[in-house]
Amino acid sequence: MTAPTDDDFIEVVDLSSALAALDVLPNGERVRKAMQLAAQFLEYAAYEMALEQSAGDVSEIIHMAARLDQAARRIDDTTVPNRPGRGQRKI
């Protein structure tokens, strides 16, 4: 999976290596780290949209990031079941 880094789609970032790095972690830690990374992406998006979007839209994204980060902090390794086939992700 790739994500565009600019409007021209000239340069892309390969997310496969990041996902592969997550796959080697224990299940609870993998879930927590993935949620924290998602929160960081949301914060980045809010920062980038701050000059062009309404304050309400920006604050909504920041709030989503904060809630996701809080949820990640609540995850305990014992609360996330270890399921077989954990590396089989459809993207």
Side-chain angles (χ1 to χ4, degrees), residues 12-60:
V12 294
V13 176
D14 182 15
L15 296 178
S16 297
S17 58
L19 296 173
L22 288 172
D23 281 341
V24 300
L25 298 173
N27 196 43
E29 187 176 352
R30 182 173 57 249
V31 171
R32 183 174 39 256
K33 292 284 187 188
M35 290 173 71
Q36 289 170 335
L37 285 171
Q40 289 176 349
F41 274 119
L42 284 171
E43 288 174 0
Y44 179 83
Y47 175 79
E48 291 299 319
M49 65 190 282
L51 293 176
E52 297 179 11
Q53 300 293 321
S54 72
D57 289 343
V58 174
S59 65
E60 184 178 353

Side-chain angles (χ1 to χ4, degrees), residues 10-11 14 21 42 51 57 61 65 70-71 76-77 79-80 82 86:
I10 294 172
E11 189 177 341
D14 182 15
L42 284 171
L51 293 176
D57 289 343
I61 299 295
Q70 289 171 349
D76 183 341
D77 289 349
T79 63
V80 179
N82 192 4
R86 69 179 209 207

